[in-house]
Amino acid sequence: MRTLTTTLVLFLTLATALAQQPETKPAPKPEDTEVWQPEPKVVTPGATPTAAPSDAIVLFDGKNLDEWVSAQDRSAPAKWTVAAGIVTVSKDTGNIETKRTFKNYQLHIEWKVPENVTGTGQARGNSGVFLASTGPGDAGYELQVLDNYNNKTYVNGQAGSIYKQAIPLANPNRKPGEWQTYDIAWTAPTFNSDGTLKSPAYVTVFFNGILVQNHFELKGETRYIGAPFYKAFDGAPIKLQAHGDPSPPLSFRNIWVRELN
């Protein structure tokens, strides 16, 4: 006859063995990793790859500059020349920028250096797309526009560069007289309540369909002289530059933006 002690030992041994057995879990199912909500909003693509989708804000459709003002005096209208569905830089009237301000966005813009362009280096078809304009003149964050079809300059200042910060990954320039395309994803910097930087700006750029900036982290505002730096802002216009070089002025067309906030 087993003693009470022997029975207790056997019971404890069995209990321990059962406790040490691995827990049996149900087999995983495809449904375990499916997410159904929230559903992405429906956006109707444009009729062509460069046409504005249904949720875009059209900034220039070839008709007028109603979405733009003077960057020097935001109470004054933009005075560049609109004709035949394009807008041409008027160098004597200065930069223009959007009436609206933006944070994060997708931007499409097309530009053309005239076929009869003259000059060399930075004095040949110079302009810029300022992804965030933080003041008059050239204050802000510039994506360079320039004729770099067989035209050498410093590589962090050629077309597709983040001016004096990021060299483009390739040079896909078309020759003067042909339309060029930028497709841009811009993530604006954010700032703490005391004005210090919370998160930097990032940009991805496709130039004529070719990736030239791949989620580049900006070091601050782009500068002609000196090191870049950040200063606090909350939303900013998009600016186009009327560069002072003597070459014939550039033209732009088909400009639209999708807010990604």
Side-chain angles (χ1 to χ4, degrees):
M1 178 180 295
R2 295 177 179 173
T3 65
L4 180 61
T5 301
T6 303
T7 302
L8 181 59
V9 168
L10 289 173
F11 174 78
L12 291 174
T13 302
L14 179 61
T16 301
L18 290 173
Q20 291 176 344
Q21 289 183 354
E23 181 182 354
T24 302
K25 295 183 179 180
K29 300 177 293 183
E31 293 82 358
D32 295 340
T33 51
E34 293 175 358
V35 178
W36 288 71
Q37 295 291 339
E39 293 187 34
K41 68 177 181 179
V42 175
V43 177
T44 303
T48 67
T50 61
S54 60
D55 65 344
I57 299 169
V58 177
L59 297 176
F60 179 69
D61 62 0
K63 297 176 182 178
N64 56 60
L65 289 173
D66 290 353
E67 288 285 342
W68 301 80
V69 294
S70 165
Q72 290 65 241
D73 178 3
R74 287 186 55 81
S75 65
K79 295 180 180 179
W80 290 8
T81 303
V82 177
I86 65 176
V87 56
T88 300
V89 178
S90 297
K91 295 193 178 187
D92 58 345
T93 65
N95 301 343
I96 66 172
E97 64 186 25
T98 57
K99 291 180 179 178
R100 308 182 197 222
T101 59
F102 302 95
K103 292 183 180 178
N104 308 321
Y105 59 76
Q106 173 189 347
L107 176 66
H108 176 90
I109 185 167
E110 299 170 24
W111 52 276
K112 181 174 71 173
V113 174
E115 188 174 2
N116 64 338
V117 67
T118 58
T120 60
Q122 293 287 306
R124 184 179 174 90
N126 197 323
S127 184
V129 179
F130 283 77
L131 306 172
S133 172
T134 57
D138 294 339
Y141 302 78
E142 182 185 6
L143 169 61
Q144 176 76 320
V145 172
L146 194 72
D147 174 30
N148 286 123
Y149 184 85
N150 295 331
N151 175 44
K152 287 190 176 182
T153 187
Y154 44 91
V155 292
N156 62 350
Q158 72 178 63
S161 68
I162 302 304
Y163 188 67
K164 288 197 172 178
Q165 289 194 43
I167 301 166
L169 301 174
N171 179 353
N173 278 257
R174 295 190 172 106
K175 63 184 179 181
E178 296 185 6
W179 284 100
Q180 322 266 4
T181 300
Y182 280 158
D183 287 291
I184 303 155
W186 170 251
T187 302
T190 61
F191 299 89
N192 298 306
S193 57
D194 63 357
T196 57
L197 183 67
K198 184 176 182 181
S199 61
Y202 294 92
V203 66
T204 296
V205 181
F206 287 87
F207 183 3
N208 292 331
I210 296 172
L211 183 67
V212 295
Q213 299 294 342
N214 188 12
H215 196 60
F216 174 73
E217 179 182 325
L218 280 80
K219 302 173 181 67
E221 296 190 9
T222 52
R223 306 280 292 169
Y224 178 48
I225 299 173
F229 62 87
Y230 279 103
K231 63 180 180 184
F233 69 95
D234 184 21
I238 297 167
K239 180 165 59 185
L240 302 179
Q241 185 186 47
H243 193 269
D245 72 90
S247 66
L250 288 83
S251 298
F252 294 89
R253 72 178 184 185
N254 193 20
I255 309 172
W256 51 263
V257 63
R258 296 181 62 245
E259 294 184 288
L260 303 176
N261 298 330

